[in-house]
Amino acid sequence: MKSAFVSIIGRPSAGKSTLLNKICGEKVSIVSPVPQTTRNKIRGIITRDTGQLVFIDTPGYHNSDKKFNNYLKDLAGSSLAESDLVLYVIDTTRAPGAEEEELLELLKPIAAKTLILFNKTDLPEKNIQRAAAYIEEKAPGCFSPESIFPVSAESGDGISRVIQHLYDMAPEGEQMYPDDYYTDQQPEFRVMEIIREKAINISRQELPHSIYVEIADMEMKHNEDGSVKKLWVRAFLVAERESQKGILVGHGGENIKNIRGDAQRELNQIFPYRVHLDLRVKVNQKWRRNDGLLKRMLF
Ligand SMILES: Nc1nc2c(ncn2[C@@H]2O[C@H](COP(=O)(O)OP(=O)(O)OP(=O)(O)O)[C@@H](O)[C@H]2O)c(=O)[nH]1
Ligand SMILES: [Mg+2]
């Protein structure tokens, strides 16, 4: 049996989480058009007759002097040491940036266990030649053409070849999770992430970076016969400033109503029981400078 941890690494918005979801065939990691959506190392699992691959989605690798961003960057970097194999995802619609060069430096010594994915090939503005030339310029001779795959994480094009290649490369080992697991995330974390995704997708500009979700209470309600009736959740969307709280609430409470509705709908699809969500908005000033909170939140 084959068994491997596979890190998914790349710049913000390269399509890492979209890729993980496509590979697993389930919503494992939240996705948005806003860079730096993923804040944790998120595991997605596939199991076949030949073995098990455990993928680790990571926060977008991004240079910044902000404490919060550095936590995210360290998380992404640390996943490399924990992995047998690496998928380096590049958005071929964007010109390579400084992070690309830094990532290549990290990946050069482990090029033999790394596959490079040229993503978003479904878009007309893709530029595969530019990406290939950049790799050859910054890491000459390090990555063979056989380790580079044009894909579309969105449509799934090219993904099955990548998975097959990973199975070929994976070492022998014991299965780490039961056959039917596609993620190891706790329900509480998944609830927080889905709420955050819905909030990011209705809000704009820098607001997404200013919010987090806090679960105030979570309780499983049972029927008289002991069967599960529903999961009852009270959660807070936490913003950094009063003005942001206003945006999240929206005119006449319209935004928070939509976020709650969208999140509850998706949670009801994900969990095998009904979920009832009570969602409110509050402010925690300067939370991104709070080391204790960041350490608990970013793992
Ligand atoms: N057209 C197209 N869009 C894609 C593809 N892959 C990802 N996207 C879009 O790109 C945006 C970013 O995708 P994510 O999967 O959230 O990117 P990410 O790398 O996880 O981003 P961070 O978590 O911020 O690092 C979303 O709007 C996706 O729908 C692709 O293959 N084709
Ligand atoms: Mg992501």
Side-chain angles (χ1 to χ4, degrees), residues 11-19 30-38 57-60 119-123 151-155:
R11 276 166 95 191
S13 269
K16 300 175 295 298
S17 303
T18 306
L19 175 76
I30 65 168
V31 167
S32 92
V34 181
Q36 297 215 286
T37 295
T38 306
D57 185 17
T58 63
N119 192 31
K120 307 199 186 180
T121 54
D122 57 294
L123 293 174
V151 300
S152 167
E154 185 84 21
S155 75

Side-chain angles (χ1 to χ4, degrees), residues 196-207:
R196 196 163 63 83
E197 181 188 65
K198 303 312 170 201
I200 292 173
N201 281 309
I202 68 114
S203 56
R204 52 207 157 125
Q205 287 159 22
E206 43 113 45
L207 180 62

Side-chain angles (χ1 to χ4, degrees), residues 10-299:
R11 276 166 95 191
S13 269
K16 300 175 295 298
S17 303
T18 306
L19 175 76
L20 180 70
N21 293 339
K22 188 56 88 177
I23 287 172
C24 295
E26 301 280 351
K27 173 76 165 279
V28 177
S29 194
I30 65 168
V31 167
S32 92
V34 181
Q36 297 215 286
T37 295
T38 306
R39 294 178 176 170
N40 302 84
K41 289 193 266 192
I42 301 212
R43 288 183 183 184
I45 303 151
I46 57 170
T47 308
R48 294 185 175 171
D49 294 342
T50 40
Q52 189 169 68
L53 298 178
V54 180
F55 293 86
I56 307 168
D57 185 17
T58 63
Y61 201 82
H62 176 58
N63 285 333
S64 158
D65 46 15
K66 295 212 175 97
K67 183 197 289 260
F68 181 70
N69 290 312
N70 284 326
Y71 269 106
L72 297 183
K73 198 173 158 193
D74 288 348
L75 270 184
S78 73
S79 78
L80 295 177
E82 298 160 12
S83 302
D84 304 286
L85 302 168
V86 178
L87 294 179
Y88 171 29
V89 182
I90 296 177
D91 178 351
T92 57
T93 67
R94 284 179 77 196
E99 288 93 353
E100 230 75 72
E101 194 164 349
E102 233 176 278
L103 275 168
L104 279 170
E105 285 306 315
L106 284 178
L107 295 173
K108 268 185 206 170
I110 52 170
K113 64 173 198 176
T114 301
L115 301 183
I116 298 182
L117 306 194
F118 287 162
N119 192 31
K120 307 199 186 180
T121 54
D122 57 294
L123 293 174
E125 59 270 34
K126 68 175 182 258
N127 191 335
I128 291 175
Q129 263 160 350
R130 174 178 59 191
Y134 189 82
I135 304 285
E136 202 35 51
E137 183 199 333
K138 300 294 178 189
C142 290
F143 299 93
S144 71
E146 294 75 50
S147 64
I148 299 179
F149 295 79
V151 300
S152 167
E154 185 84 21
S155 75
D157 251 21
I159 303 295
S160 59
R161 275 184 61 226
V162 173
I163 295 175
Q164 188 50 54
H165 212 82
L166 290 171
Y167 270 109
D168 292 345
M169 292 166 81
E172 300 280 320
E174 291 294 311
Q175 191 167 318
M176 283 162 284
Y177 294 93
D179 284 353
D180 57 346
Y181 268 44
Y182 65 88
T183 187
D184 65 350
Q185 298 167 75
Q186 296 301 313
E188 180 169 327
F189 181 75
R190 299 192 81 188
V191 171
M192 286 158 61
E193 287 288 271
I194 297 292
I195 295 170
R196 196 163 63 83
E197 181 188 65
K198 303 312 170 201
I200 292 173
N201 281 309
I202 68 114
S203 56
R204 52 207 157 125
Q205 287 159 22
E206 43 113 45
L207 180 62
H209 300 299
S210 310
I211 58 177
Y212 69 93
V213 177
E214 188 181 285
I215 304 287
D217 203 0
M218 209 164 127
E219 203 182 320
M220 199 67 96
K221 307 264 188 201
H222 292 91
N223 293 310
E224 275 173 16
D225 65 1
S227 59
V228 174
K229 190 173 175 195
K230 67 178 170 195
L231 177 66
W232 183 88
V233 182
R234 170 177 286 169
F236 287 99
L237 251 175
V238 190
E240 247 171 345
R241 291 196 292 273
E242 283 298 330
S243 58
Q244 296 166 340
K245 180 178 164 183
I247 296 172
L248 287 170
V249 171
H251 191 66
E254 189 185 11
N255 285 350
I256 189 67
K257 197 171 140 226
N258 287 336
I259 296 168
R260 192 200 81 87
D262 291 350
Q264 182 169 281
R265 209 167 302 118
E266 187 161 324
L267 289 167
N268 273 303
Q269 284 165 7
I270 288 178
F271 291 114
Y273 36 74
R274 272 201 312 126
V275 179
H276 179 85
L277 185 59
D278 174 345
L279 185 62
R280 293 151 200 233
V281 183
K282 70 176 183 184
V283 173
N284 180 1
Q285 283 179 6
K286 300 194 179 137
W287 66 264
R288 278 187 287 177
R289 296 192 208 159
N290 179 337
D291 276 300
L293 180 67
L294 294 185
K295 278 191 182 123
R296 280 199 306 281
M297 185 189 294
L298 311 175
F299 49 83

